[in-house]
Amino acid sequence: MPHPTRALLAAGLALCAFQALALPTTSPVLDRIRDTGAVRLAYRENSVPFSYVDGGKPVGYSIDLCSRLVEALKVAVKRADLNIQYVPVTPATRIAAITEGKADLECGSTNNTRERREKVAFTIPHYIASSRMLVKTSSGIHRWEDLNNKTVVSTRGSTNGGQIRAMADARVLKVNVVEARDHTEAFGLVVAGKADAFAMDDVLLYGFRATSPNPADYTVVGSNLAVAPYAIMLSKDDPEFKKVIDLAMSRMILDGEAEKLYKKWFQQPIPPNGVKLEIPMSFLLRDSFKFPTDKVAD
């Protein structure tokens, strides 16, 4: 049951949201959605448990959140018959999908950074990750210093590769950083012994470990290099559209719906193999849910 204070905030916000959505709202994105009857959601194929493919369709925590946002868009454009068009993206193509108008919302595992905000906007964060590394348990790698004279893979278009390079320079380490097309390819390089570590946000690494044939063969190690607030991406050129999305996201958080979805994807068995990630909600995310805002620390 939501906290009484949060329940009151949610009720007040719901009223404000209803009033805002009930007003005639004009924006390029909302107009297109209204005219075409379709919302375009960008998704990832392998970002467990946020956005991935199971049974031929996108599923995950971010996908569920975006599905709820579509319900708010139905009210905003006064069309109950909106349908969802899914647009596949990778870390390297996700920003372009938004800036080029190929997708209305990016429902994946994207870190809200200052550099990215120069091109796109973000709504309220729904997860806060930490940057670490996945290695073979038998590798003997436990700390970042153990990467000296070793190869680290990250994913093209992510922030993690740059973090590793900066860390290596600061600690005077010789680290060979390579970039993979996507997370699956990066993990595969570690599996094949072609890379010693996969540097990425911890929750994604735990997802690959949990869904591998032998999870005990892999370990997530290293102190936290950076904090990554994940949020749904949208156009920075359409403030009215963002206003609708922010209100709907705030309502989901304050009425407890976002927390229910968190438990579904992080603490209960998830498809395709019924694996439980067993990741409790961090105190950082729990605190941020008390007063939802799209402002993040850089």
Side-chain angles (χ1 to χ4, degrees), residues 10 13-18 20-21 30 64-76 105 123-126 232 234 240-258 261 292:
L13 188 61
L15 177 60
C16 293
F18 176 79
L21 296 180
L30 290 175
D64 277 0
L65 289 170
C66 280
S67 296
R68 270 57 169 191
L69 294 178
V70 171
E71 294 302 311
L73 289 172
K74 290 180 180 179
V75 177
L105 298 170
T123 188
I124 299 159
H126 55 269
I232 293 164
L234 62 162
E240 292 302 320
F241 178 60
K242 184 176 183 333
K243 202 177 296 181
V244 172
I245 295 302
D246 287 349
L247 283 167
M249 195 72 193
S250 294
R251 191 166 62 238
M252 269 196 289
I253 290 170
L254 291 172
D255 70 9
E257 178 67 11
L261 292 177

Side-chain angles (χ1 to χ4, degrees), residues 46-247:
N46 49 34
S47 285
V48 180
F50 296 92
S51 180
Y52 63 106
V53 176
D54 178 57
K57 65 178 183 178
V59 299
Y61 177 49
S62 299
I63 297 296
D64 277 0
L65 289 170
C66 280
S67 296
R68 270 57 169 191
L69 294 178
V70 171
E71 294 302 311
L73 289 172
K74 290 180 180 179
V75 177
V77 301
K78 298 180 174 61
R79 285 200 61 164
D81 61 342
L82 290 184
N83 66 80
I84 295 174
Q85 295 177 352
Y86 288 107
V87 180
V89 294
T90 67
T93 64
R94 56 188 167 180
I95 292 177
I98 296 296
T99 59
E100 295 172 8
K102 296 175 182 176
D104 303 313
L105 298 170
E106 189 265 344
C107 314
S109 51
T110 300
N111 180 8
N112 178 349
T113 67
R114 179 186 302 168
E115 180 182 8
R116 288 172 177 163
R117 290 197 301 277
E118 294 177 359
K119 301 176 181 179
V120 298
F122 291 87
T123 188
I124 299 159
H126 55 269
Y127 191 86
I128 299 178
S130 299
S131 182
R132 300 179 69 195
M133 59 179 162
L134 178 143
V135 300
K136 287 185 175 179
T137 306
S138 60
S139 68
I141 297 173
H142 304 285
R143 306 177 304 150
W144 296 109
E145 286 78 8
D146 297 331
L147 294 177
N148 196 34
N149 296 315
K150 291 185 167 41
T151 295
V152 178
V153 62
S154 194
T155 305
R156 189 177 304 120
S158 72
T159 59
N160 305 80
Q163 291 167 357
I164 293 297
R165 292 184 181 94
M167 179 276 301
D169 288 344
R171 305 185 191 191
V172 196
L173 304 175
K174 293 181 179 179
V175 180
N176 178 34
V177 180
V178 298
E179 293 185 335
R181 186 187 71 86
D182 57 26
H183 297 337
T184 298
E185 183 180 12
F187 180 61
L189 291 179
V190 175
V191 173
K194 296 180 179 179
D196 300 289
F198 174 17
M200 186 46 59
D201 297 341
D202 56 355
V203 63
L204 301 178
L205 299 178
Y206 280 118
F208 274 99
R209 180 182 184 276
T211 55
S212 68
N214 298 294
D217 290 348
Y218 306 96
T219 306
V220 177
V221 298
S223 57
N224 177 25
L225 276 187
V227 172
Y230 287 3
I232 293 164
M233 261 196 306
L234 62 162
S235 172
K236 69 175 295 185
D237 300 321
D238 196 332
E240 292 302 320
F241 178 60
K242 184 176 183 333
K243 202 177 296 181
V244 172
I245 295 302
D246 287 349
L247 283 167

